[in-house]
Amino acid sequence: MLLQGKTIVVTGGNSGIGEQICLAAAAEGANIVIDYVAHPEATDALIKKIEDAGGKAVGVDADITKAADLQTMVQTAVDTFGRLDVLVNNAGMEDRKSLLEETEEGYDRLMAVNMKSAFFATQHAAKQFIAQGDGGLVLNISSVHEDWPMPGNIAYCVSKGGMRMLARTGGVELGAHGIRIVNIAPGAVDTPINTATTTDPEKLKQLDAAIPLGRLAKPEEIADVVVFLASGKAGYMTATTVTIDGGITQGSVGL
């Protein structure tokens, strides 16, 4: 098993990409800490699914927009499984507003969920990694929009651009401690965040046509990349981004 004995925290872990990361990592032997802020029943169901398959998992109700809750999240991993090996900053949101439409309240909320949470979760995880003394890994579920404009969704793009520099600057700062930070940048993925597109046949047809591989990614395909990066088989990678987008950023203008 690729992740035997490793403890992995996944923010926003009870749905979408996060859920598939939890399942894939558990199947490879990892101990899973599932962070969530809503739908505890979904977390309970996911834990049962993991445990029924022979894995280990625990849920933690932590508001990722609050640094103190993020510390609790990290401590839950340590208290339950003895250590932390990998943090996956997966939780995110978008609000599909342009520069002229965005509100202060909307901007602050989006940046807290997408950027502030990743920043302070990384900080708390890094301190734990340093205390353990044998390095660690932070994986950020970013987006192709950390580098690729998406008109009409500007705050989301700004938050992912910030995550890009979190990986690059943080990776440089923490390299001496054996701590790595790698971003994973999906393109269009078939998750609830894209429901408005996937439930509209015309919009879905337009999006599929813009992707060289002709379809959205499955959440499981993103999870597979997480497992690979967490396995140690990419141990020389840090301060960079792995793009998994079906070629969309090479094959079309921004959508």
Side-chain angles (χ1 to χ4, degrees), residues 107 110-111 114-116 118-119 122 140 142-143 145-147 154-170 181 183 241:
Y107 176 89
L110 188 146
M111 292 300 290
N114 291 7
M115 187 65 251
K116 177 184 176 183
F119 185 99
T122 299
N140 296 318
S142 181
S143 166
H145 299 297
E146 70 171 38
D147 191 53
I154 189 169
Y156 178 81
C157 293
V158 169
S159 72
K160 295 304 182 179
M163 190 173 277
R164 172 185 171 92
M165 288 311 299
L166 172 62
R168 282 153 177 74
T169 307
I181 307 178
N183 282 7
T241 297

Side-chain angles (χ1 to χ4, degrees), residues 144 186-190 194 207 211 215-218 222 244-245 248:
V144 290
V189 185
D190 190 3
N194 283 318
L207 179 56
I211 302 171
R215 62 172 178 85
L216 282 73
K218 300 174 183 177
I222 311 304
I244 173 169
D245 70 348
I248 190 172

Side-chain angles (χ1 to χ4, degrees), residues 12-21 90-94 96 141-143 156 160 186-200 204 207-208 211 215-223 244:
N14 66 357
S15 67
I17 292 173
E19 179 181 8
Q20 294 303 318
I21 290 170
N90 165 75
M93 63 170 289
E94 57 181 31
R96 300 275 178 153
I141 305 302
S142 181
S143 166
Y156 178 81
K160 295 304 182 179
V189 185
D190 190 3
T191 65
I193 202 171
N194 283 318
T195 297
T197 298
T198 57
T199 57
D200 184 320
L204 181 59
L207 179 56
D208 285 346
I211 302 171
R215 62 172 178 85
L216 282 73
K218 300 174 183 177
E220 297 90 333
E221 292 174 305
I222 311 304
I244 173 169

Side-chain angles (χ1 to χ4, degrees), residues 24-169:
E28 290 292 345
N31 306 312
I32 309 298
V33 178
I34 306 163
D35 160 75
Y36 68 97
V37 291
H39 303 296
E41 71 285 356
T43 303
D44 292 341
L46 179 56
I47 291 171
K48 184 177 188 306
K49 190 172 184 178
I50 289 171
E51 290 180 342
D52 286 349
K56 297 179 181 180
V58 63
V60 55
D61 183 356
D63 183 346
I64 59 169
T65 68
K66 298 177 180 178
D69 279 23
L70 292 168
Q71 175 57 45
T72 298
M73 180 182 74
V74 170
Q75 194 61 46
T76 297
V78 177
D79 291 346
T80 306
F81 298 115
R83 61 180 289 113
L84 174 64
D85 297 284
V86 182
L87 165 68
V88 182
N89 286 314
N90 165 75
M93 63 170 289
E94 57 181 31
D95 64 1
R96 300 275 178 153
K97 289 184 172 65
S98 70
L99 179 63
L100 297 178
E101 295 168 327
E102 188 59 86
T103 65
E104 182 178 7
E105 180 183 13
Y107 176 89
D108 286 347
R109 174 63 178 164
L110 188 146
M111 292 300 290
V113 171
N114 291 7
M115 187 65 251
K116 177 184 176 183
S117 69
F119 185 99
F120 285 102
T122 299
Q123 181 188 80
H124 289 305
K127 289 179 178 179
Q128 179 60 33
F129 293 151
I130 290 169
Q132 291 170 181
D134 55 357
L137 174 64
V138 176
L139 296 174
N140 296 318
I141 305 302
S142 181
S143 166
V144 290
H145 299 297
E146 70 171 38
D147 191 53
W148 192 47
M150 185 179 187
N153 203 12
I154 189 169
Y156 178 81
C157 293
V158 169
S159 72
K160 295 304 182 179
M163 190 173 277
R164 172 185 171 92
M165 288 311 299
L166 172 62
R168 282 153 177 74
T169 307

Side-chain angles (χ1 to χ4, degrees), residues 1-7 25-31 54 56 85 230-231:
M1 289 188 175
L2 291 173
L3 304 178
Q4 187 66 49
K6 291 190 176 184
T7 297
E28 290 292 345
N31 306 312
K56 297 179 181 180
D85 297 284
S231 71

